[in-house]
Amino acid sequence: MKSILLTPRDLSLLIGVYRHGFLLRDHAWKLYFSGCELRRATRRFLALKEHQLLEASPLPLGAFAFGIQDALPGLGQFSYRLGAEGIPLVAQALGVDAASIRKRLRNSPSFTGHAVAVASLHEAIHRLQDEGGYRLTQFLTEGEARQSFEWRTSSTSEWKRAEVRPDGLAWIERDGLAIPYLIEADLAHQSKAAIATKLAGYALWIKTPIFKERFDGAPLRLLIVTLSKERLTVLYDLVCESELSGCPGIALTTFRDFISQGPMNPIWLVPASGTERNHLHALPLL
């Protein structure tokens, strides 16, 4: 087989596929081959597949048992994941062990659907710079966005360790400032108790010095995206019952509204300075 010359764009795609777990063809094209017509991009994807840098397959039939196919477009496409020959290249680029990359490459229906959901949000945010004057400077998936921290209990003053795992972290430049947005993609498969525990983790995290250091003093901006208006009501109630209820910059919306509204979505109306108290979760999004 004729050798292939890997370009910086190819390597960015391989890293992106690894970070997301899976990418639909259109996500791969719009995120990493923007400015290139789809036909040419698809030919390049096929060449990367022939050299086992990518794997391509139809999405598993059970991947979207949660009804996400009704909220997201383009789910009849092939999905791409990192191929065997791409693993050492990504490991070298990221400075990690290849074994750790193989361990992370999971392929279960729930993970596949969730990965596509997060990639859809990534692509929608990426599109903001074409529509609303924003600029996405960085997007981290759960593996890189997660954060461990220590906190002290009020009753015993005992130090405990916890971890938050946002599904994504988007750094968006607006009004000359780089603003971090934490993202949760909810596919309605987590129980109320699990979601309440996750919200409690965020409430603890934002009180720690490590949160202020990581985000340079920026306030919490949390975007929770889910499948339906009915699920939105459940999540809304859980946020209001949590210690985050008085925290500005929390927005809840559906995948359909988030993707279709673009820069008009209320989450982007949070003041860049963070000095105004704009309780987005209290907006009539329901």
Side-chain angles (χ1 to χ4, degrees):
M1 182 186 298
K2 188 177 179 181
S3 61
I4 185 171
L5 179 63
L6 204 67
T7 67
R9 178 179 281 185
D10 294 332
L11 184 58
S12 294
L13 171 62
L14 297 181
I15 294 172
V17 169
Y18 162 66
R19 285 174 167 164
H20 278 286
F22 290 82
L23 283 178
L24 295 180
R25 181 206 61 192
D26 278 9
H27 292 152
W29 169 44
K30 294 175 182 178
L31 287 171
Y32 301 102
F33 278 70
S34 59
C36 176
E37 64 179 21
L38 178 58
R39 184 169 52 183
R40 289 184 58 191
T42 302
R43 283 202 301 265
R44 188 59 178 177
F45 299 160
L46 291 174
L48 295 173
K49 175 181 176 292
E50 289 175 0
H51 287 80
Q52 299 182 33
L53 295 165
L54 287 177
E55 293 180 1
S57 61
L59 291 174
L61 293 177
F64 304 103
F66 311 114
I68 195 171
Q69 65 269 26
D70 298 326
L72 299 178
L75 295 184
Q77 303 170 18
F78 270 63
S79 65
Y80 293 100
R81 73 190 304 249
L82 190 61
E85 296 300 320
I87 291 175
L89 296 176
V90 171
Q92 182 179 9
L94 298 180
V96 299
D97 185 68
S100 66
I101 289 184
R102 293 188 182 93
K103 183 178 180 181
R104 184 176 161 185
L105 293 176
R106 298 171 290 174
N107 186 10
S108 66
S110 61
F111 174 74
T112 304
H114 193 262
V116 172
V118 173
S120 296
L121 297 178
H122 183 182
E123 192 272 323
I125 295 171
H126 179 77
R127 229 185 318 120
L128 283 173
Q129 53 200 5
D130 298 324
E131 300 176 3
Y134 305 86
R135 189 170 75 90
L136 176 63
T137 59
Q138 188 179 38
F139 189 97
L140 303 179
T141 54
E142 185 266 339
E144 296 166 303
R146 66 174 62 181
Q147 179 74 66
S148 297
F149 64 93
E150 292 184 339
W151 61 284
R152 179 176 288 179
T153 62
S154 57
S155 57
T156 64
S157 296
E158 177 186 1
W159 284 100
K160 292 190 175 182
R161 192 167 185 83
E163 184 179 51
V164 289
R165 298 184 177 186
D167 294 322
L169 169 58
W171 285 90
I172 296 176
E173 189 175 287
R174 180 163 63 94
D175 301 333
L177 297 174
I179 309 167
Y181 291 86
L182 296 164
I183 298 166
E184 290 289 346
D186 174 73
L187 300 189
H189 64 278
Q190 283 191 310
S191 67
K192 291 183 180 181
I195 295 170
T197 299
K198 175 168 277 194
L199 294 174
Y202 277 116
L204 290 171
W205 184 33
I206 64 176
K207 297 175 183 177
T208 64
I210 197 169
F211 179 87
K212 296 179 176 64
E213 291 170 5
R214 180 167 186 179
F215 300 114
D216 197 25
L220 174 69
R221 288 180 173 85
L222 176 62
L223 169 63
I224 304 174
V225 190
T226 191
L227 296 175
S228 66
K229 300 292 185 181
E230 293 75 20
R231 180 66 173 180
L232 205 60
T233 301
V234 173
L235 298 175
Y236 178 93
D237 291 341
L238 287 170
V239 171
C240 291
E241 294 167 4
S242 74
E243 292 188 33
L244 294 176
S245 60
C247 182
I250 300 178
L252 297 96
T253 187
T254 64
F255 284 98
R256 186 181 302 279
D257 286 347
F258 182 81
I259 292 171
S260 64
Q261 290 172 355
M264 298 307 296
N265 193 281
I267 183 63
W268 313 121
L269 303 180
V270 178
S273 64
T275 56
E276 299 179 45
R277 296 184 63 79
N278 187 346
H279 297 265
L280 289 184
H281 67 265
L283 289 175
L285 298 180
L286 308 183

